[in-house]
Amino acid sequence: MFDGKILCVALTSVAAAFTASGTASAADLVTYQLDWLPGGDKAPIYVCVQEGFCEEAGLEIKIEPGRGSSEAITKLATGTSDIGSAGLGALMAARATEGVPATAVMSIFNMGPHAFYTTADTGIASIKDVKGKKIATSPFTSSNVFLPLVLADNGFSEADITLTKSDPGALGPLLMTGQSDAIIAWLTDVSRYTGQAKEAGKELVVLPWADAGLELYSAALVASDTFLTERPEVAKRFVAAFKKSLEFAYENPDKAAAAVAAMVPELSAEDVKGSWLDASKLAFNEVTETYGLGALDADRLQATWERVAASQDLDPASLQPEDVVDRSFMPASE
């Protein structure tokens, strides 16, 4: 016979079990927007998921790939995604020209990733030495925007170099075969190009633009204004979990690489680790020691905007840098 009391007890037990198991069923969904495809430089968000930092914060994470900061900012501004990584310079330009409803809440990389890569046999030992040389770059890298400024800082212009644009995958071969004297690439790729140089029997030389005066913030944690306004406590929990994940990834590069490889099986942990070790230097450095991890220093913000405005021929008065950031979502310093 059917026993209603037994069914009632059973249902009560199931409900109690769900309650006792934690808040998984009630976790807040957060859509995280990457500014590019998954890779080692994106390790912190994968650590947040795999190491349980986001789960501990009562968060369920959905990760969306991207195709550049402009696309990422558009998705954040329209509310398609809640929070994610994007270039702070790109956000500043978008706020100045379009008034996009998105805000930076934390710095991820406090240094620009831009650099010239060359080989020792070219004789190029400083940025001044690229004058008169053949340079290859990707058509869509944000480095191209800052190239005229870097060259001007060193006393010459694009007219003094032979610049060609090639597929990103062709840059390494162009350099290693001598078809280009130098290439423009990010510091997140040092390990990859070092390996290519070794295979070609050459010594890689890396010339960071930051060492030549291009001091600015690059990747930041950028959020939809709607997300920040409507779910501020969720945003605070996420930022705290992300910061914890960033620190964990820096201290545990093998686990960080494993976290990415576990969720993106087409990437090998070995390649991810090399990329993360390169990228982590943009987050943990002398700037971090001075201002703290994730900090958005007012003077550096101003310097970043001045460079962005100059590179894109924008009126410096069209934006107050402080208007694009909100530091209140960062956890209090310990």
Side-chain angles (χ1 to χ4, degrees):
M1 291 178 61
F2 175 77
D3 192 328
K5 290 184 178 180
I6 293 177
L7 177 59
C8 183
V9 171
L11 290 176
T12 302
S13 298
V14 170
F18 273 112
T19 302
S21 66
T23 59
S25 62
D28 292 294
L29 177 64
V30 174
T31 301
Y32 186 89
Q33 181 66 51
L34 300 179
D35 55 4
W36 195 243
L37 300 176
D41 58 323
K42 309 295 188 291
I45 188 59
Y46 294 96
V47 165
C48 200
V49 175
Q50 290 295 110
E51 292 294 329
F53 297 129
C54 282
E55 183 180 7
E56 290 171 7
L59 305 171
E60 178 186 348
I61 306 298
K62 178 184 178 185
I63 301 174
E64 290 289 338
R67 286 287 183 176
S69 287
S70 294
E71 182 192 79
I73 290 168
T74 297
K75 288 185 175 181
L76 291 165
T78 57
T80 302
S81 297
D82 298 312
I83 194 166
S85 56
L88 187 54
L91 174 63
M92 288 176 161
R95 282 288 288 266
T97 58
E98 302 171 41
V100 296
T103 300
V105 294
M106 173 181 163
S107 165
I108 301 176
F109 297 151
N110 56 36
M111 294 179 64
H114 319 288
F116 286 119
Y117 284 67
T118 186
T119 52
D121 59 325
T122 65
I124 298 174
S126 72
I127 289 181
K128 293 182 184 295
D129 296 334
V130 305
K131 185 176 182 179
K133 303 296 185 179
K134 296 179 292 184
I135 312 295
T137 185
S138 165
F140 48 77
T141 176
S142 61
S143 301
N144 296 337
V145 174
F146 295 107
L147 176 62
L149 301 185
V150 172
L151 298 182
D153 285 346
N154 286 272
F156 55 106
S157 70
E158 283 190 66
D160 297 308
I161 62 174
T162 301
L163 186 67
T164 59
K165 295 182 178 180
S166 302
D167 182 88
L171 295 181
L174 286 172
L175 177 61
M176 304 315 163
T177 59
Q179 296 177 69
S180 287
D181 300 307
I183 62 173
I184 295 172
W186 282 15
L187 294 171
T188 53
D189 288 325
V190 172
S191 296
R192 178 159 64 93
Y193 287 120
T194 297
Q196 292 182 14
K198 186 175 182 180
E199 290 179 3
K202 297 190 174 186
E203 180 185 350
L204 191 71
V205 176
V206 183
L207 304 171
W209 293 0
D211 293 348
L214 190 69
E215 297 184 5
L216 42 72
Y217 285 112
S218 50
L221 203 56
V222 177
S224 157
D225 283 356
T226 299
F227 176 58
L228 297 179
T229 301
E230 296 183 356
R231 299 198 288 163
E233 290 307 314
V234 175
K236 285 183 179 180
R237 280 188 274 130
F238 178 84
V239 174
F242 185 88
K243 184 170 183 283
K244 186 183 296 185
S245 301
L246 183 57
E247 293 168 332
F248 181 93
Y250 179 65
E251 295 166 359
N252 303 275
D254 287 314
K255 290 184 177 180
V260 178
M263 297 181 68
V264 191
E266 60 267 30
L267 299 178
S268 72
E270 181 181 1
D271 289 342
V272 169
K273 180 182 177 181
S275 177
W276 168 242
L277 288 174
D278 294 337
S280 65
K281 296 172 185 175
L282 301 176
F284 296 87
N285 48 55
E286 62 272 14
V287 178
T288 317
E289 293 173 3
T290 301
Y291 302 110
L293 182 64
L296 292 161
D297 174 66
D299 290 339
R300 197 171 183 85
L301 272 176
Q302 180 64 40
T304 300
W305 167 237
E306 289 172 0
R307 289 293 196 166
V308 170
S311 69
Q312 299 187 41
D313 197 25
L314 298 173
D315 180 2
S318 64
L319 178 77
Q320 293 298 319
E322 286 293 323
D323 291 344
V324 306
V325 304
D326 188 336
R327 302 177 183 85
S328 68
F329 292 90
M330 279 276 285
S333 301
E334 296 179 358

